[in-house]
Amino acid sequence: MALVAAPAVTLLTPSAAFAQDFTTGTLAGTVTNTAGQPVSGAAVTVTQNGRAQSRTFTTDAQGRFRASQIPVGGYTVSISGSGYETYTDANVPVTLGGTADYQFTIGSVGGSANNLEDVVVVGTRTAAVDFDRTTTGITVDVQETFDRIPTQRNLAAIQLLAPSTSQGDAAFGNQISIAGSSVAENVYYVNGFNITNFRNFVGGNTVPFEFYQQVDVKTGGYQAEFGRSTGGAVIAVTRSGSDEFHGGLNYYTEPSSLEDSSPDTYVGPGSNLGLDSQNTSDRSESNVWLSGPIWRDHIYFFGFYNWRDFENGSVDTSGTVQTATQDDPFYGGKLDFYLNPDHRLELTYFSDDQTQVINQRFSNGDNANTFNFVGGETKIAKYTGTFTDWFTLSALYGEGSFNQTVSGDLDSEISIVDTALNTVRGNPALLISTGEDTRKMYRVDADIYVNGLWGDHHFRVGYDREDLASSAISTYSGGRYYRYYQAGAGGALGGLIAPNALYVRDRNYQSGGSYKTEQTAFYIQDAWDVSDRLSLQLGLRAEKFSNMNAAGEVFVETDYDLSPRLGFTYDLFGDRSTSLKGFYGRYYIPIAANTNIRMAGNELFTQDFYRISSISGGSYAATQAGLTACLNASPRNNCLPVFNGAPVLSQVLSSGVVPQSQSLVSQNLEAQYQDEFILGIEHEISGFGMFDGWTVGANYVFRDLKAVMEDFDTNYIIHNYCTYAGISAANCGQINGSGYVLINPGQDLIITPDSSTFPFLAGQTITIPAAILDIPEAKRTYKALEFTFERPWDGRWSLQGSAVFAESKGNIEGGVKSDNGQSDTGLTQDFDEPGWTDGSYGFLPNHRGQTYKVFGSYAVTEDITVGMNAILQSPRKYGCIGSYPLGDGRASPTTITAWYCNGVLTPRGSQFEGEWFKTIDASVSWNIPLSGIPGRVQLRADVFNILDFEGATDFVESGDRAPGTHNPDYQRISAYQTPRYVRLGLSYQF
């Protein structure tokens, strides 16, 4: 009789080490008889469930077989051999980027299996120790996970399930920090195509939850085919069709009537930030999908439509009520073409083009709209061909677009920001812009299997290239931006402004142009099985980045930087229960297109500080009371300042002229890179009763950020250089129009000054020593000890979690700057001026000393399942940010950027800490069987933050409101965690 899979213990095979992939997985196994001897020459047929495509393999002398680079999902495995009963297992899962690796035991014909009690127990899968890769992170089947545990319905929520991930600063939206890196260091792929926002690397295209099939969150240890990241890699594949028709629809709503309120963030007159009637959130969305065959056995489709209606309301301290709405749909789908089981073509298309409308209702009754245009179209074509058992080839081409436009009803109105930092006039975005980013991506990968060279090898080699283009035209609303300041009792701007006087800063910003970027990479990876117990992963990646200025000239280009990726896995006891692994890798990140736009364009950026004699043509006095009266006037008033004479201080931040390329970038510039070291162990428990089948693990992770690319203002050191070089003051010029150059902080500056701004050195290349630059080397280290456990779902219950003890310290966060919400990746204020680096080393914004996560589910009945998801995380640490007080010319005293407050050095992360973050989410789902109708109906309720914890998530870190003026809101709470809210859902699928 035939042997069938039965509920028993999985016997794990010695694992061949397979390279990882962007869209597929690998199914491998070893076939043995009941005596534990390998069965060679057995026929193994692997069939994807729901599709007719099958591939048949013959086991080798060790009884092994391998089906590589196959679509993720469920498979049926059938094994037959001469003298053996046929074995069939109809539910073998294959996961993204991993290897489903099993031992199958088959019985002899005429053996002892004469009745039900004698059936040989084989092939059942339990938690399996992964011997084939060194990657840390988590792989999630999106639909199955959502069915069982409460999660928000977005990619960030999936990332947060992984150890060593944390919520990023709210200034950058719903973005995730991975292993201490900033939110601008992650890379995102969908069906092999890079959807990362390459302008500043913060996020990317937005894809709805139900569009995904599986997501692989790589937090470290990833191999040579993955690059362009010093944070983590998030790899996703979308759902596909099959020979059976499937479809469904659902509706989810988060009504504001079921949301609790947060406490006020400020206490005092005029503070309305906590008003329940103003701070609201209503979110509803619905999805419809259908999949099936177009030509049975050969062409399959999956179509998807996502309708959404999101609305959020808030009110600021000026009384302006702001409502943000978003209701554009997402739609897309996938076609799979099978010429035969060995050759397939996948076509993916989706559109996430959307407009967020922000309506402002001012305290005097006026209102206006702002429009944020984001997203675009994505088109992907991928071919995969298996030519022999030892050679597979894949090729991908894709195109993507992303809108970067901000406009509104008030674009012609001059921007006004009051002394409390409220945008009270003009477009609330301040900077209005028109632009678009486009990406063309080419990729080829080959997999080659070789046996007999001192073991078994899986070579994976590949090439990928991305051609990127950005257009950008930007200016302040109304062409100007006025910000009012109130001087303190000691005056302001080094005595240029009288004590307690109202004064204003006038900024002018204009930029426009088109910019191109090219990114290319080659890699080779060898997964080498040295023995049944030892596997080595030996990889090398070479990457080159070229960025062009507005004139189409290359202004910064790196060499082919080499990234070794070296790892091992070892079967510690030889019984496949315990895996020891180690990894060393180097990762490079590209140069953000934002650098082209801001630094290598025709950017004009000036600021002037004025005393003022009155406001709005003399109607209001030049006092705080006069400003308040003007802002509250009806009809609405522009509240423009009337200047009292010439500016008391003028600064040119960018000259408006495209500088000569050689004057922008240090000639010894290295691309930003990071080294990573991991040592880990993973063990599958057996012989401990209820803990049998659990998997536990531990990893030690060390990350060291090496070279960093940042801009630096040479105007603060140029006279020191001229003195050092013996150049007279009369002949001492500027490196270029703005003085800003791109450097590796801590290294010498080797530059050719612009001949128009430094004619004395026209055409000469100079070296300015690091000692004269007066800025430290950029540093960031991350150390973590991760503990993980998993009790996999068995149809009844599951539990999974992690505990991470970490330290993230340095003088640069990386990419963005959470301290002030700056998203100018590569051009933050960190190293602009020497004085701003004083006290900059300390605990970084993404430092979280302790993080505990646990999530799981329990089937109360066959149709009712409850789930939970909990996080406990220690606080962020803060310093005090103020104006530079020393008057020694090392930094401007006009900007609130230095780690000084009240004239005292207040280093990063040293002054106070926030609050512990804690939340528990719960869910219950009820599957309602349908009589006579295919499919199921599900009712679902999720309660997020069910205990309504009110932890503060952000605090005011600026100790000065203006130079010389104390900020009374320093250390006050600026944001609380989301209060308890409920999501209700109704779905049908067949």
Side-chain angles (χ1 to χ4, degrees):
M1 69 178 190
L3 298 177
V4 295
V9 177
T10 299
L11 300 177
L12 297 177
T13 179
S15 170
F18 298 110
Q20 301 160 49
D21 186 67
F22 287 90
T23 62
T24 62
T26 293
L27 193 156
T30 299
V31 180
T32 64
N33 59 26
T34 54
Q37 299 169 331
V39 178
S40 63
V44 181
T45 300
V46 176
T47 305
Q48 187 176 9
N49 292 342
R51 294 179 178 176
Q53 286 77 25
S54 299
R55 293 172 61 188
T56 300
F57 307 88
T58 301
T59 58
D60 61 16
Q62 287 77 42
R64 295 190 300 182
F65 72 92
R66 174 191 60 245
S68 60
Q69 278 70 58
I70 59 178
V72 300
Y75 283 79
T76 295
V77 175
S78 182
I79 305 172
S80 61
S82 178
Y84 293 94
E85 297 280 0
T86 299
Y87 157 75
T88 299
D89 188 337
N91 191 27
V92 179
V94 173
T95 58
L96 176 60
T99 300
D101 202 351
Y102 308 104
Q103 179 169 306
F104 300 96
T105 302
I106 59 177
S108 302
V109 174
S112 60
N114 297 316
N115 52 55
L116 290 178
E117 285 76 16
D118 294 327
V119 173
V120 178
V121 178
V122 292
T124 301
R125 287 158 307 283
T126 62
V129 173
D130 191 350
F131 287 88
D132 73 306
R133 58 179 180 171
T134 57
T135 306
T136 57
I138 191 171
T139 302
V140 176
D141 185 296
V142 176
Q143 306 312 314
E144 289 186 6
T145 300
F146 179 68
D147 264 353
R148 294 197 291 264
I149 68 170
T151 63
Q152 296 180 24
R153 302 175 65 255
N154 52 55
L155 191 62
I158 297 174
Q159 292 173 254
L160 283 175
L161 296 176
S164 293
T165 58
S166 299
Q167 187 71 49
D169 194 274
F172 313 117
N174 190 19
Q175 303 298 326
I176 303 301
S177 165
I178 296 180
S181 298
S182 76
V183 299
E185 297 173 71
N186 303 326
V187 65
Y188 300 89
Y189 287 88
V190 171
N191 288 352
F193 182 76
N194 190 350
I195 63 167
T196 312
N197 176 2
F198 64 81
R199 186 168 292 204
N200 62 7
F201 303 144
V202 178
N205 294 89
T206 303
V207 178
F209 205 72
E210 273 85 358
F211 200 63
Y212 293 121
Q213 181 176 357
Q214 290 187 14
V215 175
D216 187 13
V217 181
K218 300 178 186 294
T219 60
Y222 38 96
Q223 297 178 340
E225 53 262 55
F226 303 99
R228 302 188 175 97
S229 164
T230 49
V234 182
I235 316 298
V237 292
T238 64
R239 297 162 73 179
S240 300
S242 68
D243 275 323
E244 301 172 351
F245 284 99
H246 295 281
L249 55 89
N250 57 35
Y251 174 77
Y252 294 97
T253 181
E254 298 169 8
S256 59
S257 59
L258 296 179
E259 179 180 352
D260 284 79
S261 60
S262 292
D264 290 352
T265 56
Y266 294 103
V267 178
S271 175
N272 301 316
L273 284 175
L275 291 180
D276 295 342
S277 61
Q278 309 292 357
N279 286 269
T280 61
S281 176
D282 264 307
R283 296 172 60 88
S284 299
E285 64 176 317
S286 181
N287 301 283
V288 180
W289 67 93
L290 181 66
S291 67
I294 295 177
W295 179 9
R296 194 170 295 276
D297 300 346
H298 291 287
I299 304 177
Y300 310 104
F301 76 92
F302 171 74
F304 184 88
Y305 184 88
N306 167 246
W307 167 88
R308 49 197 163 194
D309 184 9
F310 301 159
E311 180 175 315
N312 293 280
S314 62
V315 59
D316 65 23
T317 55
S318 71
T320 299
V321 178
Q322 179 171 290
T323 304
T325 59
Q326 184 177 324
D327 57 12
D328 293 303
F330 171 101
Y331 53 90
K334 187 168 182 278
L335 292 174
D336 292 89
F337 298 81
Y338 281 79
L339 179 63
N340 57 48
D342 295 327
H343 298 272
R344 66 182 184 273
L345 175 66
E346 304 164 72
L347 302 180
T348 306
Y349 170 85
F350 60 84
S351 170
D352 69 327
D353 198 357
Q354 53 196 294
T355 304
Q356 183 187 51
V357 181
I358 301 175
N359 175 263
Q360 283 186 303
R361 298 193 306 276
F362 301 96
S363 56
N364 64 1
D366 293 341
N367 73 86
N369 292 319
T370 297
F371 307 96
N372 294 328
F373 300 91
V374 296
E377 289 187 319
T378 300
K379 307 170 186 177
I380 312 164
K382 184 183 180 185
Y383 162 79
T384 303
T386 301
F387 292 89
T388 70
D389 286 347
W390 56 267
F391 179 69
T392 301
L393 180 70
S394 66
L396 178 144
Y397 172 75
E399 296 180 357
S401 62
F402 197 91
N403 202 333
Q404 298 276 5
T405 298
V406 178
S407 64
D409 298 341
L410 302 178
D411 287 357
S412 61
E413 186 176 278
I414 291 176
S415 303
I416 302 289
V417 173
D418 68 13
T419 55
L421 301 181
N422 295 309
T423 304
V424 292
R425 296 291 183 269
N427 190 312
L430 291 179
L431 199 65
I432 59 176
S433 60
T434 301
E436 184 180 46
D437 294 340
T438 60
R439 169 187 272 116
K440 293 183 178 180
M441 179 177 171
Y442 314 81
R443 185 179 184 97
V444 178
D445 300 275
D447 292 89
I448 303 167
Y449 299 88
V450 178
N451 299 327
L453 295 177
W454 302 286
D456 297 335
H457 299 261
H458 173 191
F459 293 102
R460 186 169 173 84
V461 296
Y463 164 81
D464 73 88
R465 170 174 170 151
E466 295 187 13
D467 293 337
L468 314 174
S470 297
S471 62
I473 300 174
S474 301
T475 184
Y476 284 120
S477 177
R480 317 293 289 191
Y481 160 28
Y482 294 119
R483 178 179 169 185
Y484 285 96
Y485 292 90
Q486 178 74 44
L493 305 185
L496 297 175
I497 300 296
N500 302 313
L502 192 71
Y503 66 105
V504 75
R505 182 187 69 193
D506 171 16
R507 275 189 170 176
N508 181 21
Y509 181 89
Q510 298 178 33
S511 176
S514 298
Y515 311 86
K516 293 182 178 181
T517 300
E518 294 178 359
Q519 301 173 1
T520 56
F522 300 87
Y523 77 88
I524 181 171
Q525 183 82 37
D526 178 15
W528 177 13
D529 285 338
V530 180
S531 69
D532 288 344
R533 296 177 64 178
L534 176 64
S535 295
L536 301 179
Q537 290 81 47
L538 310 176
L540 185 65
R541 182 179 178 89
E543 294 180 282
K544 182 177 183 178
F545 311 126
S546 299
N547 290 49
M548 303 172 194
N549 64 12
E553 303 168 338
V554 173
F555 83 95
V556 58
E557 184 174 61
T558 67
D559 295 326
Y560 272 105
D561 294 311
L562 299 181
S563 303
R565 309 282 175 84
L566 309 174
F568 75 87
T569 59
Y570 182 66
D571 180 1
L572 193 59
F573 301 116
D575 60 358
R576 313 306 291 174
S577 67
T578 308
S579 171
L580 182 68
K581 66 181 179 182
F583 176 83
Y584 161 71
R586 175 165 290 182
Y587 308 96
Y588 282 88
I589 197 167
I591 305 160
N594 175 68
T595 305
N596 309 30
I597 297 168
R598 290 291 318 278
M599 195 171 190
N602 55 353
E603 178 180 280
L604 174 66
F605 191 11
T606 65
Q607 62 181 20
D608 300 305
F609 292 84
Y610 290 90
R611 304 182 186 95
I612 55 176
S613 57
S614 62
I615 300 171
S616 286
S619 301
Y620 300 93
T623 63
Q624 179 63 60
L627 175 61
T628 301
C630 180
L631 295 176
N632 293 328
S634 182
R636 190 164 180 261
N637 197 301
N638 280 334
C639 299
L640 299 178
V642 177
F643 300 143
N644 182 8
V648 297
L649 180 64
S650 296
Q651 297 174 320
V652 177
L653 305 178
S654 299
S655 65
V657 177
V658 178
Q660 296 172 5
S661 296
Q662 69 272 16
S663 70
L664 290 173
V665 179
S666 183
Q667 295 178 16
N668 60 349
L669 187 73
E670 291 184 275
Q672 178 172 315
Y673 70 93
Q674 177 173 260
D675 285 342
E676 179 181 58
F677 302 85
I678 299 174
L679 183 63
I681 189 169
E682 189 176 18
H683 174 69
E684 183 188 355
I685 299 173
S686 61
F688 282 87
M690 66 171 291
F691 293 103
D692 283 359
W694 290 52
T695 303
V696 295
N699 295 306
Y700 174 74
V701 181
F702 176 73
R703 287 183 160 194
D704 187 9
L705 187 65
K706 296 291 189 178
V708 169
M709 288 186 294
E710 269 289 346
D711 64 331
F712 171 73
D713 189 353
T714 58
N715 289 323
Y716 286 90
I717 55 88
I718 194 64
H719 291 293
N720 291 341
Y721 167 74
C722 288
T723 300
Y724 161 83
I727 301 173
S728 67
N731 290 324
C732 190
Q734 283 186 294
I735 297 296
N736 53 49
S738 68
Y740 280 89
V741 295
L742 199 63
I743 64 170
N744 296 132
Q747 303 300 311
D748 294 346
L749 170 62
I750 303 173
I751 200 87
T752 303
D754 192 310
S755 59
S756 65
T757 59
F758 210 142
F760 182 77
L761 293 176
Q764 297 184 41
T765 298
I766 61 173
T767 298
I768 303 180
I772 289 179
L773 297 179
D774 193 22
I775 57 174
E777 180 183 2
K779 295 180 180 179
R780 186 187 73 195
T781 58
Y782 174 78
K783 306 171 185 176
L785 188 59
E786 300 177 352
F787 297 97
T788 61
F789 69 91
E790 179 182 6
R791 197 277 187 188
W793 175 256
D794 62 354
R796 187 68 175 180
W797 70 287
S798 67
L799 192 66
Q800 189 169 347
S802 61
V804 178
F805 305 92
E807 177 188 88
S808 182
K809 299 184 75 173
N811 56 16
I812 184 170
E813 181 180 353
V816 298
K817 186 175 172 66
S818 296
D819 308 306
N820 61 0
Q822 187 180 13
S823 59
D824 279 344
T825 299
L827 302 175
T828 67
Q829 295 179 340
D830 284 307
F831 294 94
D832 281 7
E833 302 175 13
W836 291 351
T837 65
D838 296 352
S840 61
Y841 184 87
F843 288 103
L844 293 167
N846 295 308
H847 166 80
R848 300 293 185 272
Q850 302 175 53
T851 302
Y852 306 92
K853 301 179 181 180
V854 61
F855 52 93
S857 56
Y858 178 75
V860 180
T861 70
E862 185 177 346
D863 297 316
I864 298 176
T865 302
V866 294
M868 60 84 64
N869 187 2
I871 299 176
L872 175 64
Q873 190 169 64
S874 61
R876 173 176 168 180
K877 297 180 182 293
Y878 295 85
C880 187
I881 302 172
S883 56
Y884 186 72
L886 301 185
D888 55 7
R890 294 178 64 244
S892 167
T894 65
T895 306
I896 310 304
T897 302
W899 294 102
Y900 288 89
C901 285
N902 196 29
V904 177
L905 188 66
T906 50
R908 183 195 300 271
S910 66
Q911 300 302 294
F912 69 99
E913 67 177 25
E915 297 181 1
W916 282 75
F917 175 84
K918 47 188 180 294
T919 186
I920 301 175
D921 306 330
S923 66
V924 59
S925 60
W926 178 29
N927 295 327
I928 306 174
L930 300 177
S931 177
I933 301 175
R936 75 172 194 191
V937 170
Q938 184 185 82
L939 295 176
R940 180 186 179 106
D942 297 81
V943 185
F944 297 94
N945 191 11
I946 191 170
L947 298 181
D948 200 24
F949 293 117
E950 295 181 344
T953 57
D954 204 1
F955 292 76
V956 177
E957 196 171 11
S958 297
D960 291 346
R961 176 165 286 178
T965 304
H966 172 67
N967 183 4
D969 295 324
Y970 174 60
Q971 294 192 22
R972 289 186 175 179
I973 298 170
S974 58
Y976 284 92
Q977 69 184 91
T978 304
R980 177 173 50 218
Y981 69 98
V982 177
R983 181 180 66 210
L984 303 175
L986 172 65
S987 65
Y988 165 70
Q989 57 183 305
F990 64 91

